Each structure stands twice: as structure tokens, then as C-alpha cells.
Amino acid sequence: NENRFDVHEITFSCPVLTGEQKGFDVKVSLGMMLGALSNLVDNSIYWLQIRWPKDRSRRAIYIGTTDFYEEGPALVFADNGPGLPTNSAELTKPFVTTKPDGMGLGLYYVNLVCELNGARLIISPDRTDVGIPRAYSGAAFAIVFNKG
């Protein structure tokens, strides 16, 4: 997605890639998980454009890791877009969307991929617990993988 971040002028921070956080190994369907992560990126790009239409230098996405959850390691995803509605748990249901022309299948798919791969999607995890930097005050997700 590096080229997409460049085109949309999005600052991308991923401490695992710079050695600031440790990575972890999981057994999942790579294609399915990449599709789910791509959906989160797509959503962020859309909402960052909505929140920062003119001030492109403010657009930012963060992907990190955490070992906060007992069931296993987690991938943490956040942006500094407008954030999620308070009833965000509904967003994993099919055909529920906050995008004006959205189909409501994106987060449903992300959640389904997590379930099929023995993981759990958490919408709006506690930012302090999972180590999301304060600058990323928009939407936030954690994909928690089972240790086994």
C-alpha cells in the first residue's frame, strides 16, 4: 500500500517494520487476512479524505502490535480520521454502513475473516491498553489471534 499512501499523502507508521515493536507468527489464510487488512486501509483512506480534504499533511495511519490480550498477540490498526459512531458494534453486521454510498460489507468481511482464522476483531479497543499513540484519535481496531 506504500504507493497508495504516497498518492493520498498519508503518513504511515508501523513500529514492527522499524524494529520498535516485536512481531509474531500466526497461522492464518494469508489471502483472506490481506483482504481484511486491505479493507481497513481502504476505509481509512476514505475517511481521512473526508476529515482532512485540504490539509493532507494531517492524514495518518498506524499499524502496530500488542501482547495486551490474554488469548494471544494482536495487530492494532488506527487512523486520525473522524472516528467511529458510538454503536460501532453494529458495523460488523452485513449491509450496515456509515458511508453515503457504502455497501456495508467491509467490516462484515473483516470480522468474518477473523472468525474463520480463529481470531477476534475488536472495534475501538482501549487505546492506552494496546499502545495506540495519541495522535491516532480516529477509528481503531485490534485483531486478536489465539496463541494456539
Side-chain angles (χ1 to χ4, degrees), residues 86-102:
T86 54
N87 62 340
S88 55
E90 296 290 311
L91 295 175
T92 60
K93 294 181 178 177
F95 312 113
V96 175
T97 184
T98 57
K99 286 184 185 177
D101 294 323

mmCIF file of all heavy atoms in Angstrom, residues 86-102:
data_model
loop_
_atom_site.group_PDB
_atom_site.id
_atom_site.type_symbol
_atom_site.label_atom_id
_atom_site.label_comp_id
_atom_site.label_asym_id
_atom_site.label_seq_id
_atom_site.Cartn_x
_atom_site.Cartn_y
_atom_site.Cartn_z
ATOM 1 N N THR A 86 -20.822 5.688 18.036
ATOM 2 C CA THR A 86 -20.844 5.021 19.339
ATOM 3 C C THR A 86 -21.408 3.607 19.260
ATOM 4 O O THR A 86 -21.038 2.753 20.049
ATOM 5 C CB THR A 86 -21.655 5.839 20.359
ATOM 6 O OG1 THR A 86 -22.950 6.079 19.809
ATOM 7 C CG2 THR A 86 -20.964 7.150 20.675
ATOM 8 N N ASN A 87 -22.280 3.337 18.320
ATOM 9 C CA ASN A 87 -22.840 1.993 18.168
ATOM 10 C C ASN A 87 -22.044 1.203 17.134
ATOM 11 O O ASN A 87 -22.594 0.509 16.296
ATOM 12 C CB ASN A 87 -24.318 2.072 17.770
ATOM 13 C CG ASN A 87 -24.515 2.777 16.426
ATOM 14 O OD1 ASN A 87 -23.648 3.507 15.965
ATOM 15 N ND2 ASN A 87 -25.655 2.546 15.799
ATOM 16 N N SER A 88 -20.712 1.282 17.225
ATOM 17 C CA SER A 88 -19.849 0.702 16.204
ATOM 18 C C SER A 88 -19.920 -0.821 16.136
ATOM 19 O O SER A 88 -19.545 -1.401 15.118
ATOM 20 C CB SER A 88 -18.412 1.165 16.399
ATOM 21 O OG SER A 88 -17.972 0.873 17.699
ATOM 22 N N ALA A 89 -20.397 -1.501 17.164
ATOM 23 C CA ALA A 89 -20.524 -2.962 17.114
ATOM 24 C C ALA A 89 -21.470 -3.385 15.996
ATOM 25 O O ALA A 89 -21.337 -4.470 15.437
ATOM 26 C CB ALA A 89 -21.002 -3.506 18.449
ATOM 27 N N GLU A 90 -22.405 -2.531 15.642
ATOM 28 C CA GLU A 90 -23.349 -2.826 14.561
ATOM 29 C C GLU A 90 -22.654 -2.875 13.198
ATOM 30 O O GLU A 90 -23.186 -3.453 12.254
ATOM 31 C CB GLU A 90 -24.452 -1.755 14.529
ATOM 32 C CG GLU A 90 -25.316 -1.718 15.766
ATOM 33 C CD GLU A 90 -26.219 -2.934 15.862
ATOM 34 O OE1 GLU A 90 -26.888 -3.258 14.862
ATOM 35 O OE2 GLU A 90 -26.253 -3.559 16.934
ATOM 36 N N LEU A 91 -21.486 -2.263 13.085
ATOM 37 C CA LEU A 91 -20.805 -2.160 11.796
ATOM 38 C C LEU A 91 -20.323 -3.499 11.249
ATOM 39 O O LEU A 91 -19.985 -3.591 10.078
ATOM 40 C CB LEU A 91 -19.630 -1.184 11.897
ATOM 41 C CG LEU A 91 -20.008 0.265 12.177
ATOM 42 C CD1 LEU A 91 -18.755 1.109 12.370
ATOM 43 C CD2 LEU A 91 -20.867 0.824 11.052
ATOM 44 N N THR A 92 -20.271 -4.526 12.081
ATOM 45 C CA THR A 92 -19.853 -5.848 11.589
ATOM 46 C C THR A 92 -21.031 -6.639 11.031
ATOM 47 O O THR A 92 -20.840 -7.743 10.523
ATOM 48 C CB THR A 92 -19.163 -6.674 12.686
ATOM 49 O OG1 THR A 92 -20.072 -6.864 13.767
ATOM 50 C CG2 THR A 92 -17.884 -6.001 13.167
ATOM 51 N N LYS A 93 -22.211 -6.078 11.108
ATOM 52 C CA LYS A 93 -23.383 -6.732 10.519
ATOM 53 C C LYS A 93 -23.436 -6.398 9.031
ATOM 54 O O LYS A 93 -23.068 -5.290 8.635
ATOM 55 C CB LYS A 93 -24.668 -6.278 11.216
ATOM 56 C CG LYS A 93 -24.744 -6.728 12.655
ATOM 57 C CD LYS A 93 -26.029 -6.294 13.301
ATOM 58 C CE LYS A 93 -26.094 -6.801 14.734
ATOM 59 N NZ LYS A 93 -27.299 -6.334 15.413
ATOM 60 N N PRO A 94 -23.885 -7.349 8.201
ATOM 61 C CA PRO A 94 -23.936 -7.052 6.765
ATOM 62 C C PRO A 94 -24.911 -5.926 6.448
ATOM 63 O O PRO A 94 -25.948 -5.792 7.090
ATOM 64 C CB PRO A 94 -24.393 -8.376 6.142
ATOM 65 C CG PRO A 94 -25.011 -9.156 7.247
ATOM 66 C CD PRO A 94 -24.367 -8.693 8.515
ATOM 67 N N PHE A 95 -24.512 -5.105 5.488
ATOM 68 C CA PHE A 95 -25.313 -4.005 4.945
ATOM 69 C C PHE A 95 -25.490 -2.833 5.908
ATOM 70 O O PHE A 95 -26.335 -1.979 5.688
ATOM 71 C CB PHE A 95 -26.664 -4.507 4.422
ATOM 72 C CG PHE A 95 -26.522 -5.718 3.543
ATOM 73 C CD1 PHE A 95 -27.021 -6.949 3.942
ATOM 74 C CD2 PHE A 95 -25.854 -5.637 2.331
ATOM 75 C CE1 PHE A 95 -26.862 -8.071 3.136
ATOM 76 C CE2 PHE A 95 -25.693 -6.754 1.523
ATOM 77 C CZ PHE A 95 -26.202 -7.973 1.924
ATOM 78 N N VAL A 96 -24.680 -2.785 6.963
ATOM 79 C CA VAL A 96 -24.674 -1.640 7.868
ATOM 80 C C VAL A 96 -23.446 -0.807 7.520
ATOM 81 O O VAL A 96 -22.328 -1.315 7.497
ATOM 82 C CB VAL A 96 -24.620 -2.077 9.348
ATOM 83 C CG1 VAL A 96 -24.483 -0.876 10.268
ATOM 84 C CG2 VAL A 96 -25.853 -2.897 9.707
ATOM 85 N N THR A 97 -23.651 0.475 7.221
ATOM 86 C CA THR A 97 -22.547 1.338 6.814
ATOM 87 C C THR A 97 -22.788 2.768 7.260
ATOM 88 O O THR A 97 -23.930 3.154 7.517
ATOM 89 C CB THR A 97 -22.352 1.295 5.276
ATOM 90 O OG1 THR A 97 -21.209 2.075 4.929
ATOM 91 C CG2 THR A 97 -23.572 1.824 4.544
ATOM 92 N N THR A 98 -21.713 3.525 7.361
ATOM 93 C CA THR A 98 -21.823 4.959 7.611
ATOM 94 C C THR A 98 -21.371 5.750 6.383
ATOM 95 O O THR A 98 -21.462 6.975 6.384
ATOM 96 C CB THR A 98 -20.975 5.383 8.832
ATOM 97 O OG1 THR A 98 -19.616 5.008 8.611
ATOM 98 C CG2 THR A 98 -21.497 4.734 10.105
ATOM 99 N N LYS A 99 -20.905 5.063 5.357
ATOM 100 C CA LYS A 99 -20.522 5.733 4.112
ATOM 101 C C LYS A 99 -21.791 6.031 3.310
ATOM 102 O O LYS A 99 -22.656 5.161 3.176
ATOM 103 C CB LYS A 99 -19.616 4.837 3.267
ATOM 104 C CG LYS A 99 -18.213 4.688 3.774
ATOM 105 C CD LYS A 99 -17.403 3.850 2.793
ATOM 106 C CE LYS A 99 -16.027 3.563 3.296
ATOM 107 N NZ LYS A 99 -15.288 2.690 2.374
ATOM 108 N N PRO A 100 -21.884 7.224 2.754
ATOM 109 C CA PRO A 100 -23.085 7.591 1.985
ATOM 110 C C PRO A 100 -23.426 6.598 0.872
ATOM 111 O O PRO A 100 -24.588 6.273 0.681
ATOM 112 C CB PRO A 100 -22.735 8.965 1.415
ATOM 113 C CG PRO A 100 -21.718 9.511 2.346
ATOM 114 C CD PRO A 100 -20.941 8.328 2.854
ATOM 115 N N ASP A 101 -22.448 6.101 0.151
ATOM 116 C CA ASP A 101 -22.702 5.138 -0.926
ATOM 117 C C ASP A 101 -22.099 3.772 -0.624
ATOM 118 O O ASP A 101 -21.847 2.990 -1.543
ATOM 119 C CB ASP A 101 -22.156 5.672 -2.256
ATOM 120 C CG ASP A 101 -22.915 6.907 -2.722
ATOM 121 O OD1 ASP A 101 -24.140 6.949 -2.515
ATOM 122 O OD2 ASP A 101 -22.276 7.822 -3.274
ATOM 123 N N GLY A 102 -21.859 3.482 0.649
ATOM 124 C CA GLY A 102 -21.245 2.210 1.024
ATOM 125 C C GLY A 102 -22.213 1.048 0.932
ATOM 126 O O GLY A 102 -23.426 1.223 0.982
#
